[in-house]
Amino acid sequence: MAPYPSEGGRTAQWTKQNERTVYANRWFRVNLADVELPDGRHLDHFLIRLRPVAVATVVNGANEVLLLRRHRFITDSWGWELAAGVVEDGEDAVGAAARELEEETGWRPGPLRHLMSTEPSNGLTDARHHVYWADEGEYVGHPVDDFESDRREWVPLGLVPDLIARGEVPAATMAAALLLLHRLRSGQDTLP
């Protein structure tokens, strides 16, 4: 295999020369950047600037994970997901995760633990998804945002790998988080 081009031991990188917003709303901005490639050529590159996303779930004593079944009109697909939403101004990610879980499922989580953070499409967007989980929760009533999902269910973690293999968890961050929870709760690993 040929070595990667490098300078001073570092791989050559793309360099953003400037960036301007071409569209914005309260959720995201679409920007256009002038990018210089390592060989000196320039290209226009669109990128999407997003607020951070907070994600949360509960895994109960029976080793079941709280999931939402929902339809995504953009891809016209159904799938299992975790409660998620943007981190609002003045919120931290863990607070936003707890709020989203309660609004979307009706379950208030116990102490949330950080599971992972991902950049689901870092070639196009700067989105960061912060995933949390709790091993206890309290049902506080029907979800305020019940329109966000068809139903909410406790699903055995043991079924997670098969659900993902069948394409029933289409969102990459959700699939990665569920696989990590499956591994952790089956005693195969621990988080620092």
Side-chain angles (χ1 to χ4, degrees):
M1 179 185 288
Y4 292 103
S6 64
E7 262 179 49
R10 296 192 67 202
T11 302
Q13 65 185 38
W14 294 18
T15 306
K16 182 180 71 175
Q17 299 301 312
N18 61 55
E19 181 178 328
R20 65 182 174 86
T21 299
V22 295
Y23 174 79
N25 66 33
R26 84 177 204 104
W27 295 285
F28 67 88
R29 293 187 330 263
V30 177
N31 289 1
L32 179 61
D34 171 22
V35 178
E36 183 177 352
L37 302 178
D39 66 6
R41 291 181 296 149
H42 284 253
L43 63 89
D44 288 336
H45 195 291
F46 283 95
L47 55 142
I48 301 169
R49 299 284 188 192
L50 292 167
R51 290 174 174 263
V53 173
V55 181
T57 194
V58 175
V59 179
N60 65 22
N63 226 21
E64 298 167 323
V65 62
L66 182 57
L67 298 179
L68 297 95
R69 180 85 173 155
R70 69 177 297 170
H71 180 262
R72 290 293 184 175
F73 74 92
I74 297 168
T75 56
D76 192 21
S77 62
W78 284 91
W80 292 103
E81 296 185 9
L82 304 174
V86 299
V87 177
E88 299 291 348
D89 292 337
E91 266 188 318
D92 61 8
V94 70
R99 175 183 53 77
E100 288 291 338
L101 184 68
E102 187 171 330
E103 288 175 356
E104 293 183 13
T105 69
W107 284 84
R108 181 173 297 146
L112 286 169
R113 294 184 255 179
H114 182 259
L115 180 66
M116 62 188 281
S117 293
T118 63
E119 297 173 355
S121 186
N122 61 7
L124 178 63
T125 178
D126 65 351
R128 289 202 41 91
H129 293 190
H130 304 283
V131 183
Y132 298 87
W133 73 288
D135 56 12
E136 60 184 64
E138 173 189 3
Y139 184 71
V140 294
H142 192 76
V144 175
D145 291 346
D146 69 345
F147 63 90
E148 295 224 24
S149 62
D150 180 58
R151 63 187 195 269
R152 291 133 311 268
E153 288 187 20
W154 292 94
V155 176
L157 265 175
L159 298 179
V160 162
D162 288 337
L163 290 174
I164 293 168
R166 290 193 309 262
E168 294 185 44
V169 183
T173 295
M174 309 293 177
L178 287 167
L179 287 171
L180 184 52
L181 276 173
H182 176 264
R183 182 176 175 93
L184 289 172
R185 292 295 292 235
S186 65
Q188 298 175 17
D189 211 349
T190 59
L191 286 176

